[in-house]
Amino acid sequence: MTAGTGQQSRPGSPATGTTWLVGDIGGTNARFGLIAPGGALLRMNTYASDDFATIDDAIRTFLDTTGDLPRPLLGALSIAAAITADQLRMTNHPCSSSVTGLRDRLGFERLVAINDFTAVAMAVPLLAEADRMPVGGGAPLARRTIAVLGPGSGLGASGLVPAGSEADPEWTALAGEGGHATMAPASDRESAVLDLMRARFDHVSAERVLSGPGLVNLYNGLAALDGVPAAPYTPAQITDPEIGGRDRLCREATEMFCAMLGTVSGNLALTLGAQGGVYIAGGIVPKLGSRFAESAFRERFEAKGRMRPYLASIPTYVITHRLPAFLGCAAELAKHAR
């Protein structure tokens, strides 16, 4: 996945309204909600992204379902897209748009577009204890950098850097392309799978293995290595415990996925100095539940030689909040409203 921020306001228009639009648009699903300015969720719906030719169509469909609720004048969209100035182009979907054009066509006074994992990162300071599941040990240090990543249709990555004063803390979300960093193997079996993938792809990034399509790539690679036919499984079938109980390659692909996510998470923690913790989001890992906690993820996260003690002190969490991107969008709108 990609990163960036874009915002457009009509000159001279006040940023007011009794409801705000928030959205989380990915390659698979598009979720929209109406919230009160204080953050309370008033209405939400989820749609298949492929059901709409444009982002406009998806938003209009949602707004047509909001009944007597006031029509929003402010909106923030979390999008799995490259957002460059006024332009956004989705990474794993053919949709693209101008933020200004989208704002004008919808009749909004202000519309903000942020990368999907920038939005998730902005949500982290707002999470309650019940919104996260710890995996392994470690304890966060106050006002230290936080890393955020997560597999879904692609692999998103971001971070939060503390800003402001201790009395009035603020956070700055980092925009980057971490999901497209080169994937490194940590075992002979992983190396063999990645060798097969290098014959197919010009560049084998972390996203090529740590995503829904990545799970299929891992499964197909393992089948090819073992000389057995690959079944036409979906990512959800590969991680299904019942199917994994009878298909060892599905089980191994899921285990390899978790271990490789540990490798990438440890790399990100070292790169950012994420002593505030590492948070895993996305549509895949939360559904694994206890299987993820019992996987090789944490061992691989810490397996960095001389840096093992440093990483052992950093906590890792799975975000279990159902709509973290909505929290991040609401935080962005509140900032602009101020």
Side-chain angles (χ1 to χ4, degrees):
M1 288 194 173
T2 51
T5 302
Q7 66 168 10
Q8 294 296 331
S9 299
R10 287 179 175 165
S13 297
T16 60
T18 54
T19 64
W20 294 347
L21 173 74
V22 292
D24 180 17
I25 306 172
T28 303
N29 294 308
R31 298 177 178 88
F32 300 102
L34 275 192
I35 63 171
L41 183 62
L42 306 174
R43 186 73 54 85
M44 72 88 59
N45 271 325
T46 301
Y47 306 95
S49 297
D50 285 341
D51 287 349
F52 302 96
T54 67
I55 296 172
D56 308 47
D57 292 340
I59 294 174
R60 287 196 182 94
T61 297
F62 168 70
L63 292 177
D64 286 344
T65 71
T66 57
D68 294 333
L69 290 171
R71 192 173 183 88
L73 299 178
L74 302 179
L77 302 177
S78 156
I79 305 182
I83 303 169
T84 306
D86 186 49
Q87 298 297 316
L88 59 89
R89 184 176 299 278
M90 295 187 68
T91 307
N92 294 301
H93 192 277
C95 274
S96 62
S97 182
S98 152
V99 180
T100 301
L102 187 60
R103 180 207 67 193
D104 291 344
R105 290 190 297 273
L106 294 172
F108 278 45
E109 291 177 354
R110 182 187 292 271
L111 183 66
V112 181
I114 57 178
N115 173 258
D116 55 343
F117 263 79
T118 299
V120 172
M122 293 170 65
V124 168
L126 305 175
L127 296 176
E129 285 296 323
D131 296 329
R132 64 184 193 180
M133 179 184 78
V135 178
L141 297 182
R143 293 185 54 74
R144 299 296 179 90
T145 299
I146 293 169
V148 185
L149 72 165
S153 299
L155 177 64
S158 185
L160 279 180
V161 177
S165 65
E166 192 166 341
D168 186 20
E170 296 180 356
W171 295 90
T172 298
L174 302 177
E177 299 285 350
H180 296 286
T182 303
M183 186 69 224
S187 70
D188 291 342
R189 185 77 159 166
E190 289 180 4
S191 185
V193 170
L194 294 180
D195 281 344
L196 289 176
M197 292 178 65
R198 277 189 283 269
R200 179 183 173 191
F201 301 109
D202 290 339
H203 174 233
V204 180
S205 66
E207 183 174 276
R208 291 293 190 189
V209 296
L210 299 177
S211 61
L215 274 164
V216 176
N217 289 335
L218 290 176
Y219 170 80
N220 288 341
L222 291 168
L225 287 176
D226 289 357
V228 298
Y233 288 131
T234 65
Q237 289 173 319
I238 291 170
T239 57
D240 184 286
E242 184 176 337
I243 295 176
R246 61 177 184 266
D247 189 323
R248 65 173 181 82
L249 291 181
C250 284
R251 190 166 60 251
E252 185 180 1
T254 301
E255 292 168 352
M256 184 175 285
F257 172 92
C258 293
M260 295 176 99
L261 183 57
T263 293
V264 171
S265 299
N267 289 345
L268 186 60
L270 288 174
T271 300
L272 296 182
Q275 293 180 302
V278 175
Y279 287 76
I280 308 296
I284 297 173
V285 173
K287 295 176 183 175
L288 297 178
S290 61
R291 287 187 293 155
F292 184 73
E294 296 162 2
S295 74
F297 166 81
R298 182 68 196 195
E299 167 56 30
R300 187 68 71 79
F301 174 81
E302 297 180 12
K304 303 292 185 186
R306 293 171 293 174
M307 297 307 294
R308 179 181 285 273
Y310 178 86
L311 287 164
S313 70
I314 295 177
T316 50
Y317 305 95
V318 175
I319 296 176
T320 56
H321 190 285
R322 192 166 61 101
L323 298 166
F326 278 20
L327 292 180
C329 286
E332 181 72 10
L333 286 172
K335 181 173 69 176
H336 287 290
R338 289 195 301 268

